[in-house]
Amino acid sequence: MIRKFTFGTPFNTGAVVRPEIAEEESASKLPFLTIVQNKVASRDDAGEDDSVIFSYRLPDEALVYGLGEQARGLNKRGWRYESRNTDNPFQNEGRTALYSSHNFLIIDGEERFGLFLDTPGYVEYDIGFTNYDELKITVKDGGFDLYLIEETSLTGICRALRRLTGASYVPPKWAFGFGMSRWDHKDADEIREVADRYRALDMPIDMMYLDIPYMDDYMDFTVSEERYPQFREFNAELAKKNIHLVPIVDAGIKKKEGYPVYEEGREKGYFCTKEDGSEFVVGVWPGASVFPDALNPEAAHWFGLQYKAYLDTGVEGFWNDMNEPSIFYTEDALQAAFRKVAEYEGENLDAETFFEMRDVMGGISNKTAYYKDFYHNVNGKKVRHDRVHNLYGSALTSAAGEALRELSPDRRTLLFSRSSMIGMHRNAGIWYGDNSSMFSHILMNLKEEMNANMVGFLYSGADTAGFGDQATPDIALRWLELGIFSPLLRNHSSRRLRRQEFYLFGMDEAFRGMLKLRYALIPYLYSEFMKAALRDEMLFQPLAFVYEDDERAKHIEDQAMVGEAVMIAPVYEQNAVGRYVYVPEKMRLFRFRSPEDYDTEYVEKGDYFIHVALDEVLLFVREGHALPFADTKGVLSTADLDYGKLKALKYDEAPVEYELYNDDGVTREIGEEKIRKIVL
Ligand code: MIG
């Protein structure tokens, strides 16, 4: 059952596609939560403090799930979180917000319910941060819908959210292959060389990503002639090897005369403005830039149609970056900072004054204050950015997804974004941004997968082997041992750090074994993914969602269920020779070094220390289940997978019926009718 409670005049975020399944009720009838403050006014005369505060007493044993992309655990108790999309490359336990805002919570205690706040503005969730037994939610900018979801199961609550907000995005099948990325891969020759190395070493790969250097002067929808001469031919050359080029698209448009995207957008009034209607100029990678007005449907659509420039070269996949939006500086703030710094010259600075001066420049990026400096044109109405901030990247990416459907009606395109909200999950996937090559981030990655799935982002993943900091051979391998289960599997890292292509660590056999294992699992992963998308279910789930009556399972955050048949328990500690695993029912354990090289044993329900050598990964098959398993001899990409030669990983000898989803991997028509029951 879904009930809807409206406060003030909500901004239409587009998240909800089936309003009719929610029953509207007056806010005075709100169950469970207490409204401790309600300053909501109608949007027109909304003042600065227009907030609504809800409170809920958390019983001792209650768990709180949700919030999608956040740096912390599955159970959210004991910390505070914010919906405030921001570009900050330091992901750690101290963070309260990352790039996305996913306003969905599940309270799992004596009372069990889900909560979806449909608002593009700022929200704070104090989940036992101030008082351990109190959940306090502050919605800053009154004017929002609160959906209350009651279902008997945890998965049921997530399913209801998806029914309300629409089915998840489905990428082409090749996007389930492995992709290699690096900020400073410098030109076509280098991309070719890296791809060829993988091929020559029999390490399967489907994608090569292009980061910002591929553009001409960081201008969106251009390609550098110098670094990528004859781009179309280059793309075709790689396509022949079954490798897809996936370029990045940044939110900021370079402010430059003679650049058609800038000139056309300016002429049509498609960029964000300052209060007086003049151009809002910021600094991002191209230097002085403007932001396409993502909240103006016409402007967003126009921006989406620009992807045609790349489609015309044969490219079929994109990743959208910097769309929180990230702001290195605003033109106004920069000028003010120059003036301020000049004032210190010649002064004898005491420590306080020195730090103050240092922060004038050091603190100039991504200031929340900038969100009050620019405006959107929402169907003729001027809306200040801070009111709709969290929706920016989401709206821009959704518009791109819709435009791509228009431009490529018969073939799916790959699209994922750094910033997102619930609703964008219908049009694109996400990656979790700038993590680091730290063992703790492998565990964070695992939790992120489960958290992202709860809010509908099935196609998601982290920078495998880590974006920031130095990767080591063991972290790359351990991380890949988790990555092979993630729908989006991409090795990506920052410039200026140690290179981390998997063949650079002197452990080719181990990396090959894991990459091959990934490809052996694709028939299963793709089937489970497609069924989850069609049925509004999750691919990655916490154990607690599957074994609801199991008290131990409730508190397991470092293992996951992947699809109907598999449990995983990745190693996320350096120099570990194994790890503790909770086995919630009798399972068959496979300890893989490669698809052909493994040992196997049965494990009863219970807790174990299980040995996992550096080149091994654990895969547990649930009792009575089986999964299809591809033959990977000679398989260099998803195009080489032979469904005629499917093998199986089985719990035991008994035949098992399995619902296999297969199609050409690109058609936009998907549906239950493509599921074939096979016996494994
Ligand atoms: O300010 O394009 O998260 O994946 O390599 C950094 C350069 C901009 C941030 C992305 C990262 C990407 C990088 N970008």
Side-chain angles (χ1 to χ4, degrees):
M1 180 180 57
I2 310 180
R3 283 182 280 175
K4 172 183 169 181
F5 304 88
T6 299
F7 294 79
T9 313
F11 183 90
N12 181 8
T13 66
V16 170
V17 290
R18 290 183 62 201
E20 71 279 5
I21 67 171
E23 245 173 75
E24 289 187 40
E25 279 188 26
S26 115
S28 62
K29 293 220 184 101
L30 183 68
F32 307 124
L33 306 169
T34 312
I35 302 173
V36 294
Q37 178 184 303
N38 186 354
K39 289 198 176 171
V40 67
S42 80
R43 184 159 290 276
D44 287 329
D45 50 50
E48 281 303 297
D49 189 5
D50 191 22
S51 53
V52 179
I53 303 176
F54 302 97
S55 166
Y56 180 75
R57 207 192 73 78
L58 290 169
D60 283 349
E61 80 298 342
L63 287 84
V64 180
Y65 298 104
L67 297 183
E69 184 186 271
Q70 281 287 356
R72 283 183 157 234
L74 289 182
N75 185 355
K76 292 291 184 299
R77 275 188 88 157
W79 193 242
R80 68 183 270 273
Y81 301 86
E82 295 174 293
S83 289
R84 181 172 58 86
N85 297 354
T86 182
D87 172 17
N88 176 333
F90 303 102
Q91 304 189 0
N92 59 48
E93 276 191 31
R95 296 290 304 280
T96 53
L98 298 176
Y99 311 90
S100 297
S101 292
H102 302 131
N103 292 306
F104 175 66
L105 278 186
I106 299 176
I107 316 300
D108 183 24
E110 278 152 42
E111 295 172 322
R112 177 185 269 181
F113 57 95
L115 198 81
F116 168 46
L117 283 166
D118 190 7
T119 170
Y122 176 86
V123 186
E124 186 200 35
Y125 300 87
D126 178 334
I127 311 180
F129 175 79
T130 306
N131 302 309
Y132 193 71
D133 63 356
E134 187 189 11
L135 163 69
K136 202 163 158 197
I137 304 172
T138 306
V139 188
K140 180 78 190 304
D141 188 21
F144 60 91
D145 290 320
L146 184 160
Y147 293 87
L148 212 110
I149 305 174
E150 282 170 273
E151 291 290 335
T152 46
S153 67
L154 296 165
T155 47
I157 293 175
C158 293
R159 205 180 304 122
L161 174 72
R162 207 92 60 78
R163 296 238 157 99
L164 187 68
T165 58
S168 295
Y169 160 78
V170 170
K173 189 182 196 175
W174 51 260
F176 289 79
F178 162 64
M180 186 67 220
S181 185
R182 170 81 181 182
W183 183 346
D184 57 2
H185 277 156
K186 61 179 184 302
D187 56 18
D189 284 342
E190 189 170 13
I191 294 286
R192 182 185 289 119
E193 196 183 299
V194 171
D196 287 349
R197 279 290 288 280
Y198 274 101
R199 279 281 178 272
L201 291 165
D202 189 23
M203 294 182 179
I205 181 168
D206 271 79
M207 287 159 281
M208 285 298 302
Y209 285 82
L210 303 179
D211 207 323
I212 47 176
Y214 84 94
M215 287 181 269
D216 175 17
D217 217 3
Y218 299 137
M219 285 184 288
D220 279 352
F221 314 113
T222 69
V223 175
S224 159
E225 259 299 312
E226 190 193 318
R227 292 181 293 278
Y228 291 85
Q230 299 185 300
F231 185 71
R232 181 197 307 265
E233 287 72 20
F234 178 56
N235 185 69
E237 172 198 325
L238 287 184
K240 253 194 227 114
K241 300 178 191 169
N242 294 317
I243 290 177
H244 299 260
L245 288 178
V246 183
I248 195 170
V249 176
D250 278 2
I253 296 288
K254 187 175 177 75
K255 176 177 160 58
K256 185 179 160 188
E257 299 302 327
Y259 168 34
V261 181
Y262 170 66
E263 288 194 345
E264 192 186 330
R266 183 184 53 185
E267 205 167 291
K268 297 195 159 143
Y270 285 166
F271 299 132
C272 294
T273 57
K274 294 202 271 192
E275 193 173 12
D276 62 6
S278 65
E279 227 168 32
F280 177 65
V281 181
V282 301
V284 268
W285 289 104
S289 303
V290 292
F291 286 135
D293 189 350
L295 279 293
N296 171 352
E298 212 181 283
H301 183 234
W302 165 82
F303 183 82
L305 291 178
Q306 305 304 314
Y307 285 69
K308 182 169 189 299
Y310 293 139
L311 289 178
D312 288 347
T313 66
V315 161
E316 295 184 295
F318 308 93
W319 51 304
N320 289 353
D321 191 20
M322 304 293 283
N323 52 5
E324 294 68 32
S326 183
I327 301 175
F328 294 165
Y329 59 83
T330 69
E331 197 180 50
D332 292 346
L334 189 66
Q335 295 312 324
F338 283 143
R339 286 193 296 271
K340 181 88 189 143
V341 169
E343 286 173 18
Y344 296 99
E345 210 179 337
E347 299 279 314
N348 179 10
L349 301 186
D350 60 20
E352 290 305 331
T353 324
F354 166 73
F355 289 127
E356 190 186 285
M357 178 200 69
R358 201 187 54 175
D359 290 348
V360 171
M361 283 301 172
I364 201 168
S365 295
N366 291 311
K367 280 192 174 164
T368 308
Y370 299 156
Y371 306 155
K372 292 187 178 184
D373 294 342
F374 65 108
Y375 290 78
H376 299 277
N377 171 1
V378 184
N379 303 315
K381 226 175 127 192
K382 211 159 103 182
V383 175
R384 201 171 70 186
H385 179 76
D386 62 331
R387 294 197 184 286
V388 291
H389 171 68
N390 295 329
L391 193 56
Y392 184 82
S394 206
L396 202 61
T397 297
S398 278
E402 280 157 20
L404 286 167
R405 266 199 292 278
E406 229 175 284
L407 297 166
S408 171
D410 302 323
R411 293 170 67 82
R412 284 176 227 164
T413 49
L414 169 61
L415 182 65
F416 60 90
S417 169
R418 194 169 69 177
S419 184
S420 69
M421 288 198 83
I422 293 171
M424 197 199 84
H425 71 285
R426 301 192 297 272
N427 293 301
I430 52 172
W431 97 100
Y432 315 127
D434 301 347
N435 59 10
S436 297
S437 300
M438 297 177 178
F439 274 84
S440 60
H441 283 196
I442 299 179
L443 178 59
M444 183 170 78
N445 181 176
L446 177 69
K447 294 175 185 182
E448 279 169 326
E449 297 285 352
M450 295 185 265
N451 287 331
N453 270 247
M454 288 181 210
V455 293
F457 288 98
L458 302 184
Y459 192 77
S460 59
D463 288 347
T464 300
F467 176 78
D469 290 296
Q470 307 290 8
T472 54
D474 57 340
I475 202 168
L477 188 51
R478 284 303 193 200
W479 208 320
L480 179 59
E481 289 161 12
L482 166 61
I484 58 169
F485 298 102
S486 161
L488 166 56
L489 167 58
R490 178 175 81 142
N491 175 338
H492 179 51
S493 57
S494 178
R495 61 180 177 176
R496 297 179 185 149
L497 295 170
R498 180 179 184 178
R499 294 286 292 255
Q500 59 188 42
E501 280 82 2
F502 289 136
Y503 49 72
L504 293 176
F505 296 114
M507 297 167 75
D508 290 355
E509 195 184 332
F511 283 101
R512 183 185 308 113
M514 285 305 142
L515 285 169
K516 289 274 183 179
L517 183 58
R518 159 62 168 219
Y519 280 71
L521 289 168
I522 287 178
Y524 173 70
L525 290 174
Y526 188 62
S527 292
E528 295 301 303
F529 182 98
M530 295 303 283
K531 286 183 282 182
L534 290 170
R535 297 169 182 171
D536 297 330
E537 275 160 15
M538 300 164 66
L539 176 69
F540 266 78
Q541 294 188 78
L543 269 59
F545 283 43
V546 176
Y547 303 95
E548 280 213 4
D549 301 325
D550 183 330
E551 281 302 315
R552 276 283 289 133
K554 259 193 186 162
H555 303 284
I556 302 292
E557 299 212 356
D558 61 354
Q559 302 173 204
M561 308 303 295
V562 182
E564 63 165 48
V566 171
M567 182 179 83
I568 61 169
V571 172
Y572 53 88
E573 274 170 13
Q574 190 157 33
N575 303 318
V577 293
R579 55 160 288 172
Y580 284 96
V581 179
Y582 174 63
V583 180
E585 62 175 322
K586 188 175 175 192
M587 289 178 169
R588 182 172 185 186
L589 158 63
F590 289 85
R591 187 185 284 103
F592 280 108
R593 289 165 288 276
S594 77
E596 294 81 34
D597 183 12
Y598 61 88
D599 50 75
T600 174
E601 65 193 277
Y602 286 96
V603 276
E604 299 288 337
K605 176 180 163 114
D607 282 280
Y608 301 90
F609 184 84
I610 298 183
H611 284 271
V612 197
L614 182 55
D615 61 349
E616 293 176 335
V617 63
L618 303 177
L619 184 158
F620 297 82
V621 177
R622 297 178 69 185
E623 181 165 14
H625 283 78
L627 52 148
F629 199 63
D631 185 340
T632 57
K633 265 185 235 77
V635 169
L636 292 172
S637 77
T638 49
D640 297 331
L641 290 169
D642 184 352
Y643 277 67
K645 286 202 286 189
L646 281 188
K647 298 178 286 188
L649 285 185
K650 302 177 55 158
Y651 175 78
D652 60 17
E653 289 311 303
V656 175
E657 195 175 80
Y658 181 76
E659 291 183 312
L660 184 78
Y661 191 104
N662 195 25
D663 59 8
D664 62 12
V666 293
T667 177
R668 292 226 181 242
E669 274 84 61
I670 57 168
E672 289 277 338
E673 67 284 356
K674 301 243 164 97
I675 295 170
R676 200 156 44 93
K677 291 207 162 97
I678 58 170
V679 177
L680 295 174

